Amino acid sequence: MTQIAPVSADASPGTAPALAVEHVGAVLGGRQVLHDVSFALGAGELAGLIGSNGAGKTTLLRVILGLQAQSVGVVRIGGQAPGRRASGVGYVPQKFELDPDLPVRARDLVALGIDGNRFGIPLPSRRRRELVQAMLRAVDAERFADARVGELSGGEQQRVLIAHALIQRPRVLLLDEPLASLDLRSEHEVVALLARLAREQRIAVLISAHDVNPLLPAMDRVVYLAGGRAAVGRTDEVIRAEVLSELYGHHVDVLHLHGRVIVVAGPGGEQGSDLTLAHAHGTDLEVSP
Amino acid sequence: MVNAWTVGGIVAVIAGLVGFFVVLRGSAFAAHAVPNGSFAGAAGAVWLNINVLAGLGAFALLGAAGIGWLGHRDRQDVATALTLVLLLGLGALFLSFTAESAPAAYSLLFGEILGVSNNQLVPTLGLAAGCVALIAFLYRPLLLSSVLSELGEVRGIPRQALELAFLACIALATTMTVPVVGTTLIFSLMIGAPAAARSFAGTPGRALVLSVAIAVAIVWLAIAAAYQLDLPVGFFVGVLSGAAYAIGRAWAAWRGSSARRSARLPASDGGPNDPASAGAFGGS
Ligand SMILES: Nc1ncnc2c1ncn2[C@@H]1O[C@H](COP(=O)(O)OP(=O)(O)OP(=O)(O)O)[C@@H](O)[C@H]1O
Ligand SMILES: [Mg+2]
């Protein structure tokens, strides 16, 4: 796999960012789940939305999509506050299960990305077919384009859903834990694919994850959620002991080990076990104090 | 007899069409509850001595609305069961008022397709046209939200409104089909034919057409067999629906095992840049 060079945002003054989240707060079931979250993403930029279980990642994505109302703040897509329908935003949900018997091929699902919300029966056209084919090619899904979506592997389904989301040419693509059920190799492939798509198609890509490491080579920025608050910036600015300690409200250490980043509760941290578990996988657990 | 063929064919088209989405969306329980609940409306109509079709239609819509309304508040299966229980209770009450017309009520359970009269043709055709139009109108949103309802939602498809519209389709289909094939049979037709079709055809369009074709074949075969052997049509519809489903499953199993044999051995290893896998998949 080729190495992905980080791409910087469209910083030219006057152009609105593809995605701007401004002072967003959200209350769910009487609990303040998000608190004053602000960040912006430019076209072509890829950002990680990092946080442990229950940190509010899905909630933030649903607010951006307009599926969940924020209590305060605004979300702007390309400078405009979207109406109830978040057009211009593509989405790949966190957990999904597709029935293997579903009579829907990968290419049918991608085609539904064009106009699945319209009424009436779609007329087959050459332009439509070619558009679908081009999108399947862009996500390396051509070889299973004619298989039933429910029969594909998790990583393959992921690609099809990415194509489905991208075919309407959104400014912003949101993916909720796309790496959760993938092995290391597919994980790497999906991240590389998303970085390439962000760059080539000039879209802002926001990927939620509980582990920062798979995204490190591709990420331009990180939005780090803890306790409903967010720390935002370049990876090296945010993933630092001082910043994360402040965010978590107790001391944490950031360890660098063979190019991996491990965030663990420091000696002064109250329990902090959720933190340790969220970021240290497998063998990394040995590092925790 | 000619009427039986015509009306039976129309009923089958509707069952195959609506049933396609019933199976896709996993709404089999609703498709069972609406026709059975509408039976109460027919019983009520017999008691009040009004048009049976009107009673059926009113209660089918009532059932659909009940499932949709309760479905916002509770799990879909619980909402469906509660609605069905309520309607069945009403049905029992209405039947107790009209003990002498029990045979009429019985015919609603299994229909009387061989006794279809000319004046049933027009309302059946009208309701069928309405049902086809509604399904055609909702085709894409229904399909998208059947695959993954969240994908529909982010595209601005209101989940609950769509579910309600689809339940209305089931209610329409019920109203026109129950007098002809009965509550029990419309259910087996709505599930058996589409469930078989999705095993044979892998694309939505083809599966939908095949679903309709299988439903029509089942009904016509059942009518012919019933006429020849002087046995109830319902028996044949039920058995043939089950048989179609069994053949579909067998076909899917065979297809699955032969596909595994012929291709994707190293599916998880063969990345897109892997020349070996590129060769293996290149032909398709
Ligand atoms: N409908 C709801 N009502 C009340 N609380 C909710 C609701 N949905 C989520 N929450 C709470 O909001 C918090 C954030 O949830 P969210 O799903 O956004 O977390 P997440 O970061 O996506 O977690 P995960 O990594 O487990 O997916 C959690 O504490 C959860 O309990
Ligand atoms: Mg989540």
Side-chain angles (χ1 to χ4, degrees), chain A residues 57-58 94 176-177:
Chain A
K57 303 181 294 292
T58 301
Q94 176 165 10
D176 200 355
E177 306 236 16

Side-chain angles (χ1 to χ4, degrees), chain B residues 85-169:
Chain B
V85 162
L86 257 162
L87 292 179
L88 286 181
L90 279 178
L93 183 70
F94 295 153
L95 269 187
S96 76
F97 296 150
T98 55
E100 73 276 10
S101 39
Y106 177 83
S107 82
L108 279 174
L109 280 178
F110 295 101
E112 39 185 0
I113 197 164
L114 296 180
V116 171
S117 64
N118 266 330
N119 54 12
Q120 259 171 299
L121 211 59
V122 175
T124 306
L125 210 60
L127 286 168
C131 203
V132 171
L134 197 54
I135 289 283
F137 183 66
L138 296 175
Y139 179 79
R140 276 179 279 186
L142 275 178
L143 191 59
L144 181 56
S145 68
S146 308
V147 177
L148 203 53
S149 70
E150 267 173 301
L151 293 185
E153 270 186 296
V154 299
R155 301 300 300 275
I157 300 169
R159 187 200 290 237
Q160 285 159 358
L162 184 68
E163 185 59 30
L164 209 57
F166 180 60
L167 286 165
C169 286

Side-chain angles (χ1 to χ4, degrees), chain B residues 222-238:
Chain B
I223 293 175
Y227 190 72
Q228 285 296 317
L229 305 174
D230 199 22
L231 289 169
V233 180
F235 167 71
F236 291 105
V237 171

Side-chain angles (χ1 to χ4, degrees), chain A residues 31-89:
Chain A
R31 242 190 68 211
Q32 183 95 30
V33 175
L34 296 175
H35 194 95
D36 197 25
V37 174
S38 294
F39 65 94
L41 278 185
E45 226 180 5
L46 187 144
L49 175 61
I50 311 296
S52 30
N53 292 128
K57 303 181 294 292
T58 301
T59 307
L60 180 56
L61 296 181
R62 285 177 62 85
V63 167
I64 297 172
L65 283 163
L67 294 180
Q68 162 75 51
Q70 63 267 47
S71 52
V72 284
V74 239
V75 173
R76 292 181 210 281
I77 310 295
Q80 304 201 314
R84 244 184 56 76
R85 300 166 181 213
S87 61
V89 186

Side-chain angles (χ1 to χ4, degrees), chain B:
Chain B
M1 189 62 196
V2 177
N3 280 337
W5 292 106
T6 318
V7 173
I10 300 170
V11 164
V13 168
I14 297 306
L17 198 63
V18 176
F20 174 74
F21 284 109
V22 166
V23 169
L24 234 61
R25 301 173 71 77
S27 312
F29 191 23
H32 169 74
V34 171
N36 278 287
S38 74
F39 172 66
V46 170
W47 169 48
L48 295 173
N49 208 9
I50 56 172
N51 188 323
V52 171
L53 207 60
L56 266 177
F59 270 64
L61 280 174
L62 200 69
I67 294 168
W69 185 76
L70 279 171
H72 299 188
R73 274 142 263 260
D74 212 317
R75 259 187 17 228
Q76 194 73 26
D77 58 341
V78 175
T80 309
L82 279 174
T83 310
L84 178 59
V85 162
L86 257 162
L87 292 179
L88 286 181
L90 279 178
L93 183 70
F94 295 153
L95 269 187
S96 76
F97 296 150
T98 55
E100 73 276 10
S101 39
Y106 177 83
S107 82
L108 279 174
L109 280 178
F110 295 101
E112 39 185 0
I113 197 164
L114 296 180
V116 171
S117 64
N118 266 330
N119 54 12
Q120 259 171 299
L121 211 59
V122 175
T124 306
L125 210 60
L127 286 168
C131 203
V132 171
L134 197 54
I135 289 283
F137 183 66
L138 296 175
Y139 179 79
R140 276 179 279 186
L142 275 178
L143 191 59
L144 181 56
S145 68
S146 308
V147 177
L148 203 53
S149 70
E150 267 173 301
L151 293 185
E153 270 186 296
V154 299
R155 301 300 300 275
I157 300 169
R159 187 200 290 237
Q160 285 159 358
L162 184 68
E163 185 59 30
L164 209 57
F166 180 60
L167 286 165
C169 286
I170 297 181
L172 258 180
T174 298
T175 310
M176 61 158 287
T177 52
V178 160
V180 183
V181 288
T183 56
T184 329
L185 297 187
I186 186 59
F187 177 60
S188 61
L189 209 52
M190 265 196 200
I191 305 300
R198 87 200 151 136
S199 298
F200 292 113
T203 83
R206 271 179 234 157
L208 182 57
V209 170
L210 191 60
S211 165
V212 169
I214 292 175
V216 171
I218 288 174
V219 167
W220 281 349
L221 274 173
I223 293 175
Y227 190 72
Q228 285 296 317
L229 305 174
D230 199 22
L231 289 169
V233 180
F235 167 71
F236 291 105
V237 171
V239 167
L240 288 172
S241 295
Y245 175 74
I247 296 169
R249 284 272 63 128
W251 167 261
W254 179 81
R255 183 174 56 86
S257 67
S258 70
R260 267 195 301 280
R261 248 182 285 117
S262 68
R264 44 179 53 223
L265 290 167
S268 57
D269 299 336
N273 299 331
D274 186 338
S277 82
F281 291 101
S284 61

Side-chain angles (χ1 to χ4, degrees), chain A residues 13-166:
Chain A
T15 38
L19 168 66
V21 173
E22 297 167 7
H23 307 292
V24 161
V27 178
L28 275 180
R31 242 190 68 211
Q32 183 95 30
V33 175
L34 296 175
H35 194 95
D36 197 25
V37 174
S38 294
F39 65 94
L41 278 185
E45 226 180 5
L46 187 144
L49 175 61
I50 311 296
S52 30
N53 292 128
K57 303 181 294 292
T58 301
T59 307
L60 180 56
L61 296 181
R62 285 177 62 85
V63 167
I64 297 172
L65 283 163
L67 294 180
Q68 162 75 51
Q70 63 267 47
S71 52
V72 284
V74 239
V75 173
R76 292 181 210 281
I77 310 295
Q80 304 201 314
R84 244 184 56 76
R85 300 166 181 213
S87 61
V89 186
Y91 177 54
V92 178
Q94 176 165 10
K95 279 175 290 207
F96 53 86
E97 220 164 287
L98 302 175
D99 179 2
D101 287 320
L102 212 58
V104 174
R105 295 167 302 177
R107 72 169 73 250
D108 299 320
L109 184 51
V110 174
L112 279 172
I114 303 174
D115 53 10
N117 53 347
R118 301 252 186 85
F119 295 113
I121 298 200
L123 295 173
S125 79
R126 182 141 162 243
R127 211 183 67 78
R128 209 180 142 79
R129 257 201 324 276
E130 283 169 357
L131 196 60
V132 169
Q133 194 64 37
M135 205 62 241
L136 287 163
R137 195 175 315 123
V139 300
D140 284 330
E142 273 178 307
R143 71 196 155 85
F144 45 81
D146 291 310
R148 294 182 190 229
V149 275
E151 288 179 346
L152 298 176
S153 77
E156 290 166 341
Q157 288 177 351
Q158 200 79 250
R159 281 166 195 273
V160 176
L161 285 192
I162 292 170
H164 167 92
L166 285 186

